[in-house]
Amino acid sequence: MEHLIRVAEEVQAALEEARPVVALETTLVAHGFPAPAGIEVGLAAEASVRAAGAVPATIGVLDGRVVVGLTAAELERFTPDARKLGPRDLASCAVQGAVGATTVGGTLAAAAAVGIRFMGTGGLGGVHRGFPTPPDVSADLGVCARVPALVASSGVKSLLDVPATTEVLETLGVPVLGYRVDTLPLFYAAEGGPPVSTRVESAREAAQIADGHWRLGGNGILVGRPPEESLDVTELIEQVLGEADERGIVGQDVTPFVLAALHERSGGETRRVNRDLIVANAGLAAEIAVAHATL
Ligand code: PSU
Ligand code: MN
């Protein structure tokens, strides 16, 4: 596998000694924030994982290999022209020698290949609103069904159909745990989402449930943690989605367009909340990974 995957020494040592490791994605670094802000967010998420006592493994494709544990200098290469990689794209990108930023699904696929079971991020991909033709359903959901890993998040991407996404997660057998909440956070907003399948009160409880779920043959688990500072941008999101539609913006271009417009019209508020929740979720993923290592 070495010609295809490169695992950083620190990550490899932690995995061999069964110490906690948390995977982090690069799509949010390259495409989630106006460049170069994503780099700072990625580094802050790594620091948050370390502060909670785990080893961060930021994942992306570089120089013909899937890299698990990017250095800070390598992270700087994840600019907006990086490819956005879902699980289907990892091998193609490596073979073609392009720079590839992994989504949640792409990151989990690579993490699973080396035995990492925890990840922190902003929001999971899911079912897009309005059931357009052709439909747009994130590959993140399929990977959650196939891979034994826990993802700490603030729910799913704000522009999605959140109830439809939680229905699909139920169909796929993916537990949706609310971290000290009864409903799945709506990314920027703490309240108003669909009910979670189980509320948990601590990182240890989430780790115990993950352990049980995996022993029973289950795979992905989504943990939803509300943002510290709740922002209601429901109407703004609907307005911006309408504009994207009018302009014929579809597929992978929708998220960057929406995030940029939200940022601009909220006077930078959405970007600040987005950054802070990513950093906090990385820390929660690490707390759960640490608890899991001591079960
Ligand atoms: N949430 C955000 N910004 C993002 C993403 C999620 O607020 O950029 C990214 C994540 O990497 C997620 C991906 O896995 O979007 C899903 O994209 P798609 O719907 O194309 O699968
Ligand atoms: Mn999509």
Side-chain angles (χ1 to χ4, degrees):
M1 286 279 266
E2 265 178 38
H3 70 286
L4 192 60
I5 300 190
R6 194 187 88 213
V7 183
E9 262 177 48
E10 185 192 16
V11 174
Q12 187 63 44
L15 288 171
E16 279 166 16
E17 293 160 26
R19 285 187 281 116
V21 177
V22 172
L24 299 170
E25 61 162 298
T26 35
T27 288
L28 69 85
V29 172
H31 307 295
F33 292 85
I39 312 281
E40 186 279 328
V41 179
L43 292 173
E46 288 189 358
S48 177
V49 168
R50 285 191 195 283
V55 173
T58 303
I59 293 177
V61 174
L62 269 190
D63 305 324
R65 287 199 281 183
V66 177
V67 181
V68 178
L70 292 160
T71 64
E74 286 169 340
L75 198 63
E76 303 225 353
R77 293 174 61 191
F78 289 81
T79 50
D81 54 354
R83 288 189 195 174
K84 177 177 165 184
L85 308 185
R88 69 173 183 179
D89 309 308
L90 293 174
S92 307
C93 187
V95 167
Q96 296 181 346
V99 178
T102 52
T103 62
V104 173
T107 303
L108 287 179
V114 300
I116 299 174
R117 290 190 172 222
F118 299 91
M119 170 173 189
T121 191
L124 192 71
V127 182
H128 282 257
R129 293 185 194 181
F131 300 100
T133 308
D136 185 353
V137 179
S138 176
D140 288 358
L141 300 183
V143 175
C144 283
R146 294 193 296 275
V147 160
L150 178 147
V151 181
S153 70
S154 296
V156 305
K157 280 204 283 199
S158 59
L159 58 157
L160 300 175
D161 183 331
V162 183
T165 303
T166 53
E167 288 294 341
V168 174
L169 287 168
E170 179 180 358
T171 303
L172 297 174
V174 177
V176 177
L177 309 183
Y179 185 70
R180 297 176 182 158
V181 285
D182 297 313
T183 56
L184 188 66
L186 292 174
F187 202 78
Y188 302 110
E191 309 276 341
V196 293
S197 58
T198 309
R199 174 185 172 123
V200 295
E201 300 301 334
S202 66
R204 184 174 165 80
E205 194 180 4
Q208 285 174 318
I209 291 172
D211 191 63
H213 185 64
W214 294 330
R215 285 180 195 280
L216 293 166
N219 285 321
I221 300 164
L222 184 68
V223 177
R225 178 200 147 282
E228 301 297 339
E229 192 185 344
S230 185
L231 207 60
D232 185 2
V233 284
T234 320
E235 276 174 37
L236 200 51
I237 291 170
E238 271 170 31
Q239 188 188 330
V240 172
L241 281 173
E243 286 173 27
D245 192 41
E246 277 164 29
R247 294 206 207 173
I249 296 168
V250 289
Q252 294 202 339
D253 299 333
V254 176
T255 303
F257 174 81
V258 171
L259 294 182
L262 287 180
H263 165 53
E264 206 173 291
R265 292 180 208 180
S266 69
E269 290 272 278
T270 54
R271 184 174 141 194
R272 192 168 46 75
V273 171
N274 197 349
R275 179 213 179 266
D276 292 351
L277 64 81
I278 287 167
V279 173
N281 294 340
L284 176 60
E287 282 176 40
I288 298 170
V290 168
H292 185 261
T294 55
L295 285 181

